Amino acid sequence: LVAQSDRLPVVTLGSADAAATLGSHFPATGTLDRPADAAEAAPVLTVTGVSKRYTTRRGLRTSSVEAVRDVSFALRPGVVTALVGQSGSGKSTLARIVTAVERPTSGEVRFTGDDGTDVRVDRLRGAALRDYRRHVQMVFQDPFSALNPTRTVAYALSRPLANFAGLRGAAARERAAQLLESVGLAPAG
């Protein structure tokens, strides 16, 4: 889930108690500052009892694999949530269900928009599904498969700006430059 900037926690680097907060194996050090009521805030996304079963048919014989079984969690603003598991444990399948690329076999995924509207994700179609996808997107772990080496960074940044923010031309280039500067990179030329 890619949250809007006003919903993200603030990370303070260089804290003395960082190892205890983030774990000694974490390459960066710091602490998370979040509102005291973040844990009690209304969830932005709720996954309840989600299961996904894939069935294949070969002639008269069918076989099925249960990729995800009875998963439930809630994502709240200001709270970082991680989904961790071994290869093949269903993380990507769950991400595809949350982003409405696939539908769950059972259970439901609910999203609460900025206006407080609660929608059931697996029932979204057309314009409502496109609007939902402006809020929720997959971020791939492997930069070699997520980024095309034949394209520029400007192109990679301009695609979501065009698709989700409606920015084109000079406006997209200006926003891309702002994004690069916000992470300490200087845009070329």
Side-chain angles (χ1 to χ4, degrees), residues 7-20:
R7 294 184 177 187
L8 295 175
V10 177
V11 178
T12 308
L13 295 178
S15 169
D17 59 286

Side-chain angles (χ1 to χ4, degrees), residues 88-149:
S89 64
K91 299 179 304 290
S92 294
T93 301
L94 191 56
R96 293 173 63 82
I97 291 169
V98 166
T99 56
V101 173
E102 294 195 30
R103 309 265 178 239
T105 305
S106 63
E108 64 180 31
V109 178
R110 300 189 80 81
F111 174 74
T112 305
D114 295 331
D115 61 355
T117 306
D118 183 60
V119 295
R120 189 156 165 194
V121 173
D122 61 319
R123 294 185 178 163
L124 295 176
R125 303 277 189 269
L129 181 57
R130 282 190 299 280
D131 184 51
Y132 171 69
R133 287 187 177 151
R134 286 189 175 107
H135 297 280
V136 178
Q137 301 166 33
M138 279 199 280
V139 177
F140 297 96
Q141 299 178 66
D142 180 11
F144 299 107
S145 66
L147 300 173
N148 185 340

Side-chain angles (χ1 to χ4, degrees), residues 33-51:
D33 297 323
R34 69 176 65 120
D37 61 347
E40 287 82 36
V44 175
L45 186 88
T46 306
V47 174
T48 308
V50 166
S51 296

